[in-house]
Amino acid sequence: MKSRSAILAITAVGVGVVVAPAVGAGQASATPATTCTMAYLNPNVTPLPLQANSVFEASAGGNGKMTMKVRTDAVSVVGYRQHVSFTWANLDTGRNGGEQWSKRVVGPTNTVTFPGVKTGVGRITFQASVSNTSAWDARRVTTGQCGTEMKAY
């Protein structure tokens, strides 16, 4: 009888070890996020078809707060001025808001982050846009837009 109890105890511990990491891993990897991509011409070389892009990402952080990021590959060693803006609307509460940012972008790795945006809990729609002004001619402007929706918790 003693050996059967020992086998059951070892089996129970073994099952616990197998189940615990699987539950923990599922929770850690379940960060809700959504993205949309904006493509546009590099304003320094228009009308040549040299395409640049920005990716807008919204991720839920809990307590009705979200983090928004815009990552830009400027496709330019010279750089240009970029104005980023986004608006959001909570379809469940009617609340809305937005943010904007402007600076020179150059090369493939330009990121702007808006942490702790208080959207509230619910279905959130986003509209993001970029406007890019040539470093040489302020009349040369290119733009990109995208939109997405996700659930904030």
Side-chain angles (χ1 to χ4, degrees):
M1 196 67 159
K2 214 173 196 186
S3 63
R4 195 179 331 166
S5 297
I7 290 170
L8 288 174
I10 290 170
T11 304
V13 169
V15 170
V17 170
V18 171
V19 172
V23 171
Q27 290 172 348
S29 64
T31 304
T34 187
T35 61
C36 64
T37 302
M38 299 167 263
Y40 43 84
L41 296 177
N42 177 327
N44 289 335
V45 294
T46 56
L48 295 177
L50 185 57
Q51 197 157 32
N53 69 75
S54 295
V55 176
F56 173 80
E57 178 183 304
S59 53
N63 295 324
K65 293 182 183 174
M66 302 188 79
T67 297
M68 315 309 183
K69 285 185 185 178
V70 178
R71 292 187 194 97
T72 296
D73 180 354
V75 189
S76 177
V77 294
V78 175
Y80 47 85
R81 186 112 190 91
Q82 183 175 66
H83 180 77
V84 173
S85 65
F86 72 87
T87 58
W88 60 267
N90 186 319
L91 299 177
D92 296 332
T93 66
R95 293 184 58 206
N96 60 60
E99 301 283 341
Q100 57 185 337
W101 165 87
S102 186
K103 90 176 229 185
R104 185 175 174 268
V105 293
V106 62
T109 53
N110 303 276
T111 302
V112 60
T113 303
F114 302 96
V117 177
K118 297 176 184 178
T119 61
V121 175
R123 293 176 306 135
I124 313 297
T125 62
F126 304 95
Q127 292 296 318
S129 65
V130 294
S131 176
N132 309 292
T133 305
S134 170
W136 296 298
D137 183 354
R139 293 175 296 179
R140 280 199 231 159
V141 177
T142 61
T143 61
Q145 299 174 16
C146 70
T148 188
E149 181 179 321
M150 76 172 291
K151 182 103 172 151
Y153 61 93

